[in-house]
Amino acid sequence: MKLTTMTQISVDGVMQNNGAPTDDHPTGFERGGWALGKGDDGTRAFIAQTYQRAEAFLFGRRTYELFAGSWGSIDQMRAHPIGVALNEAPKYVASTTLTAPDWEDTTVLRGDLAAAISDLKAKPGGELQVHGSGALIRWLLENDLVDEMTLIVIPVIVGQGARLFPESGPDLALDLVESRVDSKGVTIQVYRPAGRPRYATV
């Protein structure tokens, strides 16, 4: 399977609480829901179609619990094409603390995570998709486990909150596979990791 990621980010790289308000967020982040309703019908269809082609899903614990409590539990969301895709496919969670997942067809990955994910990627099939799960995506990139990365960039500067990429971290060159912009200014950029960047020399 090809390991792919899809992340909604702001122009300044924030990914935290893109779709919901955060009045009671423990970190004090008060600008949640900044991506809600921002894309047009074409972008929403692209996102749904991406979920529908997944062979399996891989999550970090926090995103898994958020999805399980929404796409996995609320009847209206379960009936949505994204909910159907999530509920019908196997789900894997990278966690050292989750012991009894409630969402059906969930496997918790413990121990050697790199080996476990490499084993999943070696299975026949389409895509092993990661949605949300910022810390997990950063770890996957650092360990050369990502095959393709989709960034959905919302035209807003949030100004605070957790970002997909840290202020200081490993570097990575990217090859652009696909790029489009919708009628509301949302851009979709699909990249493949391409080793380390080249830097100018004196």
Side-chain angles (χ1 to χ4, degrees), residues 25-72:
H25 198 279
T27 64
F29 180 68
E30 299 174 345
R31 299 177 184 177
W34 47 266
L36 196 61
K38 293 294 193 284
D40 65 12
D41 289 344
T43 293
R44 284 189 285 275
F46 173 86
I47 293 170
Q49 289 162 6
T50 299
Y51 276 88
Q52 289 171 313
R53 70 171 186 249
E55 192 80 21
F57 295 95
L58 173 64
F59 298 103
R61 175 167 181 168
R62 176 164 172 76
T63 300
Y64 172 81
E65 290 179 336
L66 289 170
F67 275 41
S70 53
W71 298 110

Side-chain angles (χ1 to χ4, degrees), residues 44-54 57 67 71 74-89 103 129 131:
R44 284 189 285 275
F46 173 86
I47 293 170
Q49 289 162 6
T50 299
Y51 276 88
Q52 289 171 313
R53 70 171 186 249
F57 295 95
F67 275 41
W71 298 110
I74 300 170
D75 288 343
Q76 184 178 359
M77 296 183 73
R78 286 177 63 92
H80 187 280
I82 291 176
V84 172
L86 284 162
N87 283 286
E88 289 183 348
W103 205 356
Q129 291 184 3
H131 297 268

Side-chain angles (χ1 to χ4, degrees), residues 39-154:
D40 65 12
D41 289 344
T43 293
R44 284 189 285 275
F46 173 86
I47 293 170
Q49 289 162 6
T50 299
Y51 276 88
Q52 289 171 313
R53 70 171 186 249
E55 192 80 21
F57 295 95
L58 173 64
F59 298 103
R61 175 167 181 168
R62 176 164 172 76
T63 300
Y64 172 81
E65 290 179 336
L66 289 170
F67 275 41
S70 53
W71 298 110
S73 302
I74 300 170
D75 288 343
Q76 184 178 359
M77 296 183 73
R78 286 177 63 92
H80 187 280
I82 291 176
V84 172
L86 284 162
N87 283 286
E88 289 183 348
K91 291 160 282 291
Y92 299 91
V93 189
S95 176
T96 58
T97 55
L98 184 63
T99 55
D102 295 328
W103 205 356
E104 67 272 12
D105 207 0
T106 294
T107 302
V108 179
L109 302 179
R110 295 187 179 86
D112 188 338
L113 185 57
I117 294 173
S118 295
D119 288 345
L120 288 175
K121 291 182 63 177
K123 292 183 177 182
E127 294 182 31
L128 175 62
Q129 291 184 3
V130 183
H131 297 268
S133 310
L136 176 60
I137 289 177
R138 290 189 290 275
W139 183 88
L140 291 166
L141 287 167
E142 289 173 15
N143 286 273
D144 299 320
L145 290 167
V146 175
D147 297 302
E148 200 167 270
M149 177 170 55
T150 299
L151 299 180
I152 300 174
V153 184
I154 311 299

